[in-house]
Amino acid sequence: MTTLVHTLGYPRIGAHRELKKAVEAYWRGELDRDGLEREGARLRKTHWQDQVDAGLDLVTVGDFAFYDQVLNVSVMIGAVPPRFGHSGGEVDLDTGFRMARGRAPSGEPAAACEMTKYFDTNYHYLVPELYQGQTFRIASERLFDEVAEARAEGHPVKVVLTGPVTWLWLSKAKSDGLERLSLLGELVATYNDILSRLASTGVEWVQLDEPALVQDLPGDWQRAFESAYATLQSTPVKLLVASYFGGLGDNLGLATALPVEGLHVDVVRAPRQLGAVLDRLPSDKVLSVGAIDGRNIWRADLTRLAGELADAKARLGDRLWLAPSCSLLHVPVDLDNETGLDSELKRWLAFARQKLGEVVTLAHVLDGNETATDRQRVEEANQAVAARRASRRIHKPRVAERLARVVAADTRRGNAYATRASAQRKRLALPLFPTTSIGSFPQTQEIRAARRDFKKGTLDVADYEARMREEIAMVVERQAQLGLDVPVHGEAERNDMVEYFGEQLDGFAFTQNGWVQSYGSRCVKPPVIFGDVARPEAMTVRWSQYAQSLTDKPMKGMLTGPVTILQWSFVRDDQPRAETCRQIALALRDEVADLEHAGIAIIQIDEPALREGLPLRQAEWQAYLDWAVECFQLSAAVAADQTQIHTHMCYAEFNDIIGAIAAMDADVITIETSRSDMELLDAFQDFDYPNEIGPGVYDIHSPNIPERAWMVDLMAKAAEKIAPERLWVNPDCGLKTRGWAEVEPALANMVEAAHELRKRYA
C-alpha cells in the first residue's frame, strides 16, 4: 500500500530568477523569441528533474507560464478580448504579453487586462474578460508541447490546469447583461476537447485546480460544478480536483460527490476538515492530502504529521496521495542557495526543493519503509522544531508589556475627518485635484549597482548615502519641473517596500535568494518574521527630512502599513497573526510620531494588502477586519489633526470591505482604478465614502504612456461618483518598475490633465 507523492505545482521563476531575466530581455529586444522559448524549456526540464530527484511519483506539467497560469488558460481556450485584434488561429506568445501588459515586441499596443490578487495570496492573475458572442476553442498548442517535452525526458506526467468553474468564477463579464454561467456549456466542451487531446498523448491524470470550492458559492455556482463535471466524467483521463487555501466547508458534500477519480484537500489551512472528508469520500476515490505548507517556509514537524495522518493511511491504503497544501509557486526555490542565513534560523526553514523532500519522507514514514535519508530528515526536523520552540531569540517581554498597555483611545484620531480636513487645508493650501505619486520612482541600474556595491562592502556608508541623496535631489527636482503638488522622495534607498522596513526592525530575517513571483516578471523577496517585532530607531525620518529641505511643497513621508508588512512576509506560525500585526503597528506608530515631529505634514501608510488578507469565507471576515483596521489605526492615530494621513490600496474588489476602509479613517486613500475604467469607485459612491480619494489614472504595470485626454476622461467619470473637491490625481501604484523615459511624459500628461480638470470644475 504505497502512498503516491506529487506536487500541485512548482516555482517557475528559477532558483536565480532566470525566467524574469529572460522575459524582460525579450521585452527589451535583447533576446529573440526562440531564445526565450529555449530558456523556458531549460527551466521546465530543471524543475521536472528536481521532482524526480526528490522521489515524486509524478511530475507536474502545465504549471509553467511566461506570465500567469490563469492567462495561460485564457490563451489556450481563445478567450482574447476583441481590442487585441486576434482574428482566429493560434494565439501567439506576444498576444498573451499584450493582454498582460498592454505591449509586446510585436502587435499593436492596447489597454492591458485587469490584474488582481489570486484568492488571498500576493500572487496577481490576469482577470479573464468575457463578451457577448464569446466562443471557446483550443487556440494554443503550448500545453501539449510541454507534455511532449516531459514525456521525451521519460517522466511520468500529471497535467495541471485551472479548472473550468474556477476560471469562470475568476472572470468578468464585460458586456451588459452577459451572465458568465451562460458560457459554461461551451467552456466545458472545450475543456473536454483539451482533456481528450491529453489522453491521446498518453496522459493518465489531470489535476484541475478548483480553489473556488473553498469559498462561499451561490447555489447556481454549486450546480455549475455538478454540471461541468457530469460532462467531463466521460473524458478518457482520470481527474483530480484540487481545492486549497482553505476548507471545503459547506461545499464538502459537493466536492466529494463530483464524478472524478480524486480530490485534493488542504489540511494546513484547514486541518480539522480531514476527518469529515474521510467520512464522506466514496470508496473508489483517491484522496490527495496537502499536508506540507505550500505558502510558508517553516520546516514541517514530520513526526506530528505522521501521527495525524495515520488514520487516513489506515482507512485509505494506496488511495492516499500526499502533496504540499497548494502549488509551491508561493515559496522560494531552494534553501541551499542561502549562504548568509545564520545556521540556527536556517535549520528552521524549508523552501520548495526541501518541501518535496519532506512530503516524500512523510509518505515513507506512513508506509513504514523509511530509508536512512528519511530517518535523518525526521531526526533533523525533530531537533529543529524543538530548538525553535525553545529559542530565546523569539520572545521579547518588553514588546508584550507595551501591547498590554494599549487602550482604545490609542486607535482613534483626535477629531473627526471634517475637523481634520479643515486644519489640513489651511496648513497645506493645495489646489483642486492635487497631484501626487504613490511613492517610488524608477529604480535605475545606477541605484541598484550602488546598493549592490554597498552590500558587498565595496562602497562605504558615506559614499552610498551621498549617492542616495543625489538621487533624491534629482527626483525632487524632476517633480518640481513636472509641477506635482505633493512630491515624494522617490525611495531610492529602499530595495523593497516591505524588506526595507523589516531590515530595520527586530524580529525579522532576510534571505539572499528567497524570491517568489508576485506577477509576470515581478518577483519579491519576503522577509521572515521569526520573533517579536520592535523598532530600535527611526527608519525613514532623515531621508524625508532631507527631501523636505529641497522644496517648499509638502513632502510626503512614506511608510508600509502593518497589515501589508505582515501579509508580504513569511510570518511566524507560533502565535496568532493578529498579535504579530499589532507588534508591527506599534513600531510604525513610533515612526509616524517621529516623522510628524520632524515637520513632515503628509504621511502615507500603504496598505495594498488589506483586501488580500480577507479570509475566503465570509463568516471569518469581521474578526479579521476588526484587528486589521485596529492595527492601521494604532499606527496612524498618533498623528495630530493637521497632519494628513494617506493610505494606498492595490487592485481589489472594494465592495467587500468598504466599511472597513472607512473605519481606517485615512484622510486620503489612493487606489488602482485605471484598468477597471473607474468601476472600482462604485463601491465608494454607493457607500457615500466621506474622506478624500485618489483614483489612479496611470496604469504603471503597462509600458504604455497614458494620454492627457484619456486621464481627463477617467477623472470626469470619477467626478460623477465623488465630489471633485475630494479627488486627487495620481498613478495607480509606485513607479519603481518603470523607466524615466515612460514616467516623465506620463506624469507630465497627468499634471496637464489636472490643470484641465481645475478649469472645468473650478
Side-chain angles (χ1 to χ4, degrees), residues 522-545:
R522 169 74 170 145
C523 299
V524 294
K525 188 152 59 70
V528 180
I529 305 178
F530 68 88
D532 288 343
V533 177
R535 187 195 76 145
E537 59 186 12
M539 301 178 285
T540 68
V541 175
R542 61 196 179 99
W543 299 110
S544 292
Q545 277 184 307

Side-chain angles (χ1 to χ4, degrees), residues 48 72 122 142 171 176 180 218 229 244 263 311 343 390 445 476 546 654 661:
W48 293 331
N72 274 10
N122 187 33
R142 186 170 295 277
S171 69
D176 291 342
R180 289 175 293 164
Y229 284 91
Y244 44 80
L263 176 68
D311 179 58
S343 58
Q445 290 300 321
V476 173
Y546 172 67
F654 293 112
I661 292 172

Side-chain angles (χ1 to χ4, degrees), residues 429-448:
L430 295 171
L432 189 67
F433 294 103
T435 56
T436 189
S437 72
I438 301 305
S440 61
F441 271 81
Q443 289 265 317
T444 63
Q445 290 300 321
E446 292 78 12
I447 293 174
R448 290 190 168 96

Side-chain angles (χ1 to χ4, degrees), residues 33 74 116 196 239 285 289 308 314 325 346 385 388 420 494 580 616 663 757:
R33 188 175 303 189
S74 301
T116 195
S196 297
L239 298 179
K285 274 192 175 66
V289 176
E308 292 173 354
S325 57
K346 188 173 179 178
V385 168
R388 181 179 169 213
R420 301 195 310 265
R494 303 186 188 184
T580 303
L616 297 178
L757 290 161

